[in-house]
Amino acid sequence: MSSEFAMFFFAMKCFLATKSLMAQAGHSKSFRRLQWQLFYALVLQTMIPITFIQGPFTVIYFTTIILDDSFEFLGHFLALSITMYLATDAFPTIFIIKQYRDTLISYFKRAKLIKVKPQQPASMTSVQLKVL
């Protein structure tokens, strides 16, 4: 619980510092927009380990203390959740930052528009191999 409190405390401190610095700076609108996108991506990338690692670990810890017993399936669930953490860690950056999101959307649009023609089966030909 104390680590979640520390994360929340420093996230709020970072938010307030970012807000005051962005208000003082005379940067362009696109720069400010990118800074806020990076901040939101950082916040979501902080929520992912809380959800996938600290949440299941806290459940295992408290069930072991309260019930004085351990459950094997909770260990398997923790292993699965750690794997999910590694698989989803980059998603906030990809989906929140506009340039990355637009690139991904255009890639899928392009991939959808390209039609693949079925290839004709090649005729059986003999291939000669040279022995070295």
Side-chain angles (χ1 to χ4, degrees):
M1 285 306 244
S2 64
S3 62
E4 287 91 355
F5 175 75
M7 290 171 71
F8 180 75
F9 174 75
F10 287 109
M12 287 303 296
K13 218 174 159 176
C14 180
F15 171 75
L16 294 174
T18 303
K19 189 175 179 181
S20 69
L21 287 173
M22 291 305 289
Q24 294 173 1
H27 297 292
S28 68
K29 186 177 180 179
S30 63
F31 178 80
R32 288 192 302 265
R33 188 179 317 124
L34 177 62
Q35 289 300 315
W36 282 114
Q37 289 172 2
L38 289 170
F39 178 75
Y40 292 136
L42 178 66
V43 169
L44 282 177
Q45 282 183 323
T46 304
M47 297 304 291
I48 289 174
I50 289 173
T51 304
F52 287 120
I53 294 178
Q54 280 191 288
F57 184 72
T58 303
V59 170
I60 291 172
Y61 185 71
F62 281 119
T63 56
T64 304
I65 289 175
I66 293 171
L67 300 177
D68 198 26
D69 195 10
S70 62
F71 300 103
E72 185 176 343
F73 72 90
L74 290 176
H76 295 299
F77 181 70
L78 181 62
L80 176 68
S81 67
I82 290 172
T83 305
M84 293 301 293
Y85 159 69
L86 295 173
T88 60
D89 190 42
F91 286 160
T93 305
I94 293 171
F95 292 122
I96 289 178
I97 297 176
K98 187 176 182 341
Q99 290 85 0
Y100 294 159
R101 183 178 60 237
D102 292 344
T103 302
L104 186 68
I105 290 170
S106 70
Y107 173 77
F108 282 117
K109 283 181 180 178
R110 239 182 308 129
K112 187 177 179 182
L113 294 176
I114 297 173
K115 298 186 185 215
V116 180
K117 295 180 184 177
Q119 294 182 358
Q120 299 294 328
S123 63
M124 297 293 284
T125 58
S126 63
V127 177
Q128 295 179 352
L129 298 175
K130 287 185 179 180
V131 178
L132 298 175

